[in-house]
Amino acid sequence: MRKKEAFQRYKKIKFFFAADAGKVRDKEIAVVSLTQKNDSEVITLPTGQKSLLIGAGKTRKINSRTLIILSRTVISLAKQNNIKKLALNFMDFAFPHLKLKSSAIAEMLAVNFEMANFEFVQYKTSPAKGWNFVREVTIISKDSAVKKAVGKGQTIGEEVNNTRVLANSPGGVMTPKVLAQKAKEAGRKYNFKVRVLGLKEIQKMKMGGVLAVAGGSREEPKFIIIEYMSGGKEKPVVLVGKGVTFDSGGLNLKPGESMQGMHTDMSGGAAVISALTLAARLKLKKNIVGLVPAVENMPSGSSYRPGDIVETMSGKTIEVLNTDAEGRVILSDALTYAVRYNPKLVVDIATLTGAAMIALGQRASAVFTKDLKLENLIRELGEQSGDYVWPLPLWDEYEEDIKGTFGDITNTGRNRYGGAITAAIFLYQFAKEYPWVHIDIAPRTTAVEGELLAKGACGAPVRLLIKLLEQA
Ligand code: BES
Ligand code: MN
Ligand code: ZN
């Protein structure tokens, strides 16, 4: 029997602040300095103190994107060298040519330190000497705005990592029921309302899409409703997240290796839960609603079938051509449910299509909207936050591609071309009553090499969402 202590979770960094470098003479604390070289290294100073020389390259080439990677390099190099305590001079990172406020840089540093330090180790036996997480970071700065922004950044980083924990958790663990419990726990801890509809209530609501996809699984569907209302009489922003806790494809079973990683198919739902948690933790004066239809897509005698015609909550019927295009089927009901909030904006977040990955690679989520202003805002916030997005068209012409023969609309296009777009135009059929943005995060389901994040989920697009919620 393995002892429980053998497992250990990631713990957040302890930040300290010092007025000047003289305060950090502790031998255990490694000093960070930036160099104009391209490579980074660790050296030992004559005093015995370690120093992390971070290759930042030519100063004029530094931009907000490279600064993110630079800040992660600090943590990544420390971990590789088993250095647990760091000190850095804030001014070294405050490049004037970027024309960023120090609070923006401080926030970015803290977010990315947390993200780079995180690893999903809770199912791995601890090494004898423990994990090599960075424990303490001392920031040399007298600016109280810096201190405050570091605190905020750390909270954001923590919730990004929490999204990663939810997404990385195995499908057999992170079932619809458990995902709903996690939302409830967060609501109790940070004081916001979470209501969970079970099978009976979902039936009563006539959410035919959710019921169809959940049919094949022994896990009951849950419809998670989160309400954070601190914005007085303002109309709310509604976030909708795809919560497929495991996507086997259903009767159109995914072949070979393409089923691997499908426990992360609730990443959109996880991001919505974390974004609302963040809004509460940061005490935003806004009204925000989160909706997460949570189901498992499995093959069995009770599965929905190709050829089935599903009546959704909206009354529109879906002709099922492929049971593996399940995300849009459950989201149809959530988008309909959103209407009751009379929202000023609805944003849905979903690991919706492999086609979005084919189109964009793994470095940007696909964004779809009819509203050019919103599109530009989201691209801009994507740049600022590091959750990059890129637009694809949502033209009415594409509606032709999902016209049903025996139902109103089909859940796949006529052919394999433009699969991310046909999925988006499908969702649009249920989102015509309010301003709407769809973000297909399938490209960002997992971190890629070079971005200095641990393998597995990367927590997209929580950083973008919190910036959007602050502004919307
Ligand atoms: N969850 C998948 C999309 C996905 C694929 C996310 C790879 C992350 C990585 C989605 O439910 C799906 O299976 N989509 C199908 C749609 C097709 C059947 C029209 C796809 O993309 O192949
Ligand atoms: Mn699928
Ligand atoms: Zn899916």
Side-chain angles (χ1 to χ4, degrees):
M1 259 273 277
R2 297 215 279 181
K3 284 201 209 105
K4 203 153 188 204
E5 309 85 73
F7 301 90
Q8 190 198 320
R9 284 167 189 245
Y10 169 76
K11 282 199 196 69
K12 68 176 180 179
I13 298 168
K14 280 194 185 124
F15 281 100
F16 297 94
F17 296 86
D20 60 81
K23 298 275 188 303
V24 279
R25 289 266 183 266
D26 188 334
K27 260 201 173 174
E28 290 208 340
I29 301 180
V31 184
V32 176
S33 36
L34 301 189
T35 74
Q36 298 228 10
K37 291 188 190 163
N38 291 315
D39 297 326
S40 303
E41 57 176 335
V42 177
I43 58 163
T44 309
L45 301 170
T47 57
Q49 210 170 358
K50 291 242 161 75
S51 178
L52 269 70
L53 304 180
I54 305 294
K58 292 220 164 50
T59 303
R60 65 185 157 78
K61 286 197 171 165
I62 290 172
N63 56 37
S64 66
R65 286 180 174 236
T66 55
L67 198 55
I68 288 176
I69 298 301
L70 197 64
S71 55
R72 291 178 187 165
T73 307
V74 173
I75 299 298
S76 154
L77 188 67
K79 285 171 81 182
Q80 279 166 36
N81 289 277
N82 209 12
I83 292 169
K84 299 212 159 53
K85 298 181 183 183
L86 297 174
L88 61 90
N89 193 336
F90 178 74
M91 287 315 289
D92 289 351
F93 290 82
F95 296 95
H97 73 277
L98 296 182
K99 297 192 165 62
L100 289 168
K101 283 191 190 156
S102 16
S103 58
I105 292 177
E107 181 183 312
M108 185 280 308
L109 274 179
V111 171
N112 287 289
F113 280 7
E114 281 297 332
M115 286 178 72
N117 204 27
F118 173 86
E119 279 173 63
F120 186 63
V121 295
Q122 65 198 58
Y123 291 93
K124 278 184 127 179
T125 309
S126 297
K129 287 182 186 158
W131 299 104
N132 54 354
F133 293 124
V134 172
R135 293 300 170 86
E136 299 182 6
V137 174
T138 303
I139 294 179
I140 299 155
S141 168
K142 286 185 223 169
D143 190 345
S144 62
V146 165
K147 190 170 174 179
K148 199 173 155 205
V150 165
K152 180 180 175 186
Q154 183 168 35
T155 305
I156 297 172
E158 252 189 285
E159 282 307 322
V160 171
N161 291 344
N162 195 39
T163 309
R164 297 163 83 185
V165 169
L166 295 178
N168 284 334
S169 295
V173 174
M174 194 47 63
T175 56
K177 186 170 144 196
V178 173
L179 189 63
Q181 274 166 7
K182 294 290 172 189
K184 282 200 156 168
E185 277 169 29
R188 271 195 297 273
K189 193 163 169 194
Y190 298 110
N191 205 21
F192 54 84
K193 216 169 110 185
V194 178
R195 210 148 46 88
V196 177
L197 310 185
L199 181 62
K200 286 262 161 61
E201 291 140 299
I202 293 171
Q203 284 167 339
K204 221 183 268 161
M205 303 290 304
K206 297 191 161 39
M207 292 183 166
V210 175
L211 292 168
V213 177
S217 172
R218 290 164 63 167
E219 299 293 334
E220 258 193 30
K222 302 285 178 192
F223 191 88
I224 307 166
I225 303 164
I226 309 173
E227 293 175 357
Y228 170 75
M229 299 297 197
S230 295
K233 290 205 171 107
E234 253 187 55
K235 286 183 176 185
V237 173
V238 178
L239 303 181
V240 175
K242 171 177 173 181
V244 175
T245 59
F246 187 72
D247 181 11
S248 69
L251 290 177
N252 291 102
L253 199 65
K254 285 184 182 289
E257 304 204 328
S258 45
M259 207 185 296
Q260 263 173 38
M262 282 302 140
H263 61 286
T264 61
D265 210 22
M266 32 56 74
S267 298
V272 167
I273 294 169
S274 291
L276 270 118
T277 306
L278 250 184
R281 292 182 68 180
L282 299 176
K283 300 194 164 57
L284 299 194
K285 294 206 166 32
K286 303 279 175 179
N287 292 326
I288 309 161
V289 175
L291 302 175
V292 180
V295 300
E296 188 181 45
N297 188 21
M298 290 297 238
S300 79
S302 55
S303 292
Y304 77 139
R305 314 154 187 79
D308 277 1
I309 297 173
V310 174
E311 185 173 346
T312 61
M313 187 181 173
S314 70
K316 276 200 181 67
T317 56
I318 300 172
E319 184 174 342
V320 177
L321 298 185
N322 189 320
T323 61
D324 197 12
E326 84 296 340
R328 65 199 79 180
V329 177
I330 62 167
L331 289 171
S332 70
D333 288 333
L335 291 170
T336 301
Y337 193 88
V339 174
R340 70 180 55 202
Y341 291 98
N342 187 23
K344 72 171 159 199
L345 171 65
V346 176
V347 183
D348 80 71
I349 300 107
T351 48
L352 206 61
T353 66
M357 295 175 82
I358 302 292
L360 297 177
Q362 292 183 280
R363 295 181 189 275
S365 298
V367 61
F368 301 82
T369 178
K370 287 273 186 190
D371 184 329
L372 190 59
K373 260 198 182 152
L374 263 173
E375 178 183 308
N376 288 331
L377 173 66
I378 287 184
R379 280 176 69 175
E380 171 57 29
L381 298 178
E383 279 302 318
Q384 284 178 24
S385 65
D387 278 328
Y388 307 128
V389 300
W390 198 258
L392 289 174
L394 190 72
W395 299 327
D396 292 341
E397 290 90 320
Y398 289 105
E399 290 185 335
E400 290 292 324
D401 300 358
I402 53 161
K403 281 238 159 78
T405 309
F406 303 112
D408 295 332
I409 49 174
T410 56
N411 76 331
T412 67
R414 288 176 209 285
N415 51 44
R416 61 198 178 83
Y417 303 127
I421 302 170
T422 43
I425 205 78
F426 176 101
L427 294 180
Y428 177 57
Q429 306 313 304
F430 301 90
K432 293 191 176 182
E433 289 176 44
Y434 40 66
W436 171 71
V437 182
H438 160 55
I439 305 179
D440 189 337
I441 58 168
R444 298 293 303 142
T445 309
T446 56
V448 290
E449 225 177 299
E451 58 181 333
L452 304 181
L453 297 175
K455 280 199 178 134
C458 64
V462 172
R463 289 173 292 165
L464 165 62
L465 289 177
I466 196 66
K467 287 204 185 291
L468 181 65
L469 291 173
E470 282 175 333
Q471 295 211 359

